[in-house]
Amino acid sequence: DTGVSQNPRHKITKRGQNVTFRCDPISEHNRLYWYRQTLGQGPEFLTYFQNEAQLEKSRLLSDRFSAERPKGSFSTLEIQRTEQGDSAMYLCASRTSGGSYEQYFGPGTRLTVT
Amino acid sequence: ELKVEQNPLFLSMQEGKNYTIYCNYSTTSDRLYWYRQDPGKSLESLFVLLSNGAVKQEGRLMASLDTKARLSTLHITAAVHDLSATYFCAVDRGADGLTFGKGTHLIIQP
């Protein structure tokens, strides 16, 4: 078990471009979460999957954001027409349905929009 | 709307001293989390507190939860430099993700 992995670790893009991030959760973790963290702030919840179903979306997730989790394994987060305000660390976390309720976070993808 | 407030937001202390970080939250929850974050890194889970009166300890850190007061504390005993980091508390509203506080930036000086 290598933990939650995210790719890429860093992404620099120009305003208006589309970007896609990938998250591979810990195997057998059926719950997967996306968060966004800006400098000096705590992470903010974006969306949540149980298996392949997207069950919750924050109001922070504008129409330019879309997330998928095909087959209930890895997940992708796409941002269309990026804006400078999208610059942040995008964190993925996973956990099992029961047990300790502990969410394990990945290393994050740092997005810079120029 | 669930709000999570931490204080202090910034703390500078000397090695060997004791201190407590406070986390208040605004709505009922039975699950409270503490995470550590080093600069430029992701979040490391420290404690998950699952019930009223829960107390957990790991090394020089001890966390407690009072669900009636909607208050959790993270106590640092005889601080050492390696504990310098940002500490976040977070509240679980159920399956829909965690709500985090703004974090306490802790600097421990020799």
Side-chain angles (χ1 to χ4, degrees):
Chain A
D1 186 349
T2 57
V4 179
S5 62
Q6 292 186 245
N7 288 287
R9 297 290 306 277
H10 303 274
K11 179 70 176 179
I12 300 174
T13 190
K14 292 184 178 179
R15 187 165 55 93
Q17 298 295 304
N18 299 344
V19 294
T20 300
F21 311 141
R22 176 177 170 129
C23 170
D24 287 88
I26 293 172
S27 58
E28 300 177 355
H29 279 193
N30 62 339
R31 294 190 178 183
L32 186 148
Y33 303 82
W34 285 99
Y35 295 85
R36 180 174 68 187
Q37 185 178 24
T38 54
L39 198 61
Q41 301 295 316
E44 296 173 295
F45 168 75
L46 292 178
T47 190
Y48 145 68
F49 290 85
Q50 180 160 319
N51 299 311
E52 67 275 9
Q54 187 174 18
L55 298 185
E56 185 77 19
K57 289 194 291 186
S58 163
R59 55 183 167 77
L60 294 175
L61 213 66
S62 76
D63 291 344
R64 297 184 297 106
F65 288 71
S66 63
E68 295 183 341
R69 193 182 182 196
K71 303 179 182 178
S73 56
F74 71 92
S75 176
T76 58
L77 178 67
E78 180 183 16
I79 308 174
Q80 296 181 328
R81 305 181 302 282
T82 53
E83 301 173 356
Q84 286 190 323
D86 296 332
S87 295
M89 175 79 89
Y90 289 84
L91 295 164
C92 175
S94 70
R95 74 167 177 94
T96 57
S97 292
S100 70
Y101 298 96
E102 187 171 0
Q103 289 192 20
Y104 296 86
F105 281 80
T109 294
R110 182 168 295 284
L111 173 67
T112 302
V113 181
T114 62
Chain B
E1 179 186 352
L2 173 60
K3 293 184 179 179
V4 180
E5 294 185 352
Q6 288 182 237
N7 71 84
L9 297 182
F10 182 83
L11 176 59
S12 179
M13 56 191 293
Q14 288 186 319
E15 281 191 327
K17 300 292 186 182
N18 303 332
Y19 210 82
T20 300
I21 299 170
Y22 298 88
C23 175
N24 290 90
Y25 53 97
S26 60
T27 63
T28 301
S29 176
D30 290 330
R31 292 194 286 269
L32 191 293
Y33 302 70
W34 285 97
Y35 286 89
R36 167 181 172 150
Q37 187 174 41
D38 292 298
K41 304 292 186 182
S42 189
L43 284 84
E44 174 190 356
S45 178
L46 296 175
F47 302 107
V48 181
L49 303 170
L50 298 177
S51 62
N52 187 42
V55 177
K56 289 193 174 180
Q57 183 166 3
E58 181 72 33
R60 301 175 187 274
L61 300 178
M62 183 175 70
S64 65
L65 178 61
D66 181 343
T67 58
K68 294 179 181 178
R70 298 175 185 169
L71 171 68
S72 179
T73 61
L74 180 66
H75 186 73
I76 303 159
T77 301
V80 293
H81 178 69
D82 286 352
L83 291 179
S84 296
T86 299
Y87 293 85
F88 291 96
C89 67
V91 175
D92 188 346
R93 293 176 295 165
D96 58 352
L98 303 180
T99 300
F100 285 80
K102 290 189 175 182
T104 296
H105 184 53
L106 174 64
I107 296 176
I108 299 170
Q109 300 178 358

